[in-house]
Amino acid sequence: MADTAAKLLAAPEVADGWLRPSALAKLSVQGLAGHLAGQVFFVPSVLAEPVPTEPAISIHEYYARVSWIGSELDTPFNEAIRSGGEEEAAAGPAALAARVAACVEELRGILPASPDRLVRRPTWGPWSISFDDFIASRLLELVVHSDDLAHSVGLPTPEFPAPAVETVVDLLSRIALRRHGATNVLRALSRSERAPVSISAL
């Protein structure tokens, strides 16, 4: 998964469109690339932190608690995401692609031996999640934002392994259920004539 994102970030089309707007409002290709790369960088960074003492919650409870789902573009959190992506990619497309490729190689060495410990990030509330659930959350980010970046620069969306896509679709489906209710989700998936306009999870 991370390797697929790394190859996309190294594509010439990404460098060519670096300063253009991306498919996401108020975010340049540079900022989107930086945000996508950040999902790879987060993995070794959380493993380097001490095991948290905050109580663990499930991945579905995590998505129920986060404040950014469905939030306005100009919230401080979303502004920080945009500025953080720009800063992550400030050295340019070649430097970012090289950093991501190096991080992927690092992960090849450390992930097979990594225990399923608890992890957390400073922006969360007083909870933690399992490392396996954290990886699932990064899969969601990698799949969704790889599609965003590819679309932004006129490339086909990368193909990800079926188990990874199934994990992401399961997460998105559960989020959509909370946001839109069972009837709307069921109709969107089974009855186009009665389907709502959107059941977007995010």
Side-chain angles (χ1 to χ4, degrees):
M1 295 291 296
D3 183 58
T4 300
K7 290 175 181 175
L8 173 62
L9 287 163
E13 291 85 352
V14 173
D16 291 344
W18 197 246
L19 298 179
R20 294 201 299 264
S22 76
L24 301 183
K26 300 190 176 185
L27 195 61
S28 68
V29 169
Q30 173 185 330
L32 177 54
H35 183 61
L36 175 60
Q39 310 314 311
V40 181
F41 301 148
F42 283 148
V43 178
S45 68
V46 297
L47 286 176
E49 294 292 326
V51 175
T53 58
E54 289 80 0
I57 61 174
S58 72
I59 186 68
H60 300 299
E61 180 63 22
Y62 162 78
Y63 281 115
R65 293 188 185 189
V66 294
S67 62
W68 51 265
I69 291 179
S71 62
E72 297 295 326
L73 288 175
D74 292 326
T75 62
F77 182 90
N78 286 326
E79 289 176 351
I81 290 293
R82 292 193 294 272
S83 62
E86 297 282 348
E87 292 168 10
E88 194 76 78
L96 183 67
R99 286 176 58 211
V100 174
C103 188
V104 169
E105 287 306 308
E106 178 188 359
L107 292 174
R108 291 187 202 281
I110 65 175
L111 283 182
S114 296
D116 187 19
R117 45 160 284 185
L118 296 180
V119 299
R120 75 181 301 273
R121 297 183 58 204
T123 55
W124 296 352
W127 65 78
S128 63
I129 63 174
S130 72
F131 182 62
D132 282 355
D133 279 349
F134 181 74
I135 292 297
S137 73
R138 295 314 97 189
L139 289 181
L140 186 153
E141 297 281 340
L142 287 170
V143 170
V144 170
H145 290 309
S146 289
D147 176 49
D148 291 333
L149 183 59
H151 181 74
S152 297
V153 299
L155 288 173
T157 300
E159 291 190 10
F160 291 98
V165 175
E166 289 165 3
T167 295
V168 171
V169 169
D170 179 62
L171 291 174
L172 292 172
S173 299
R174 294 284 287 269
I175 297 168
L177 275 173
R178 281 194 301 274
R179 292 194 68 193
H180 303 286
T183 299
N184 283 327
V185 172
L186 287 170
R187 287 176 174 175
L189 295 175
S190 64
R191 291 292 179 260
S192 58
E193 68 274 17
R194 297 197 299 276
V197 173
S198 172
I199 57 165
S200 175
L202 306 178

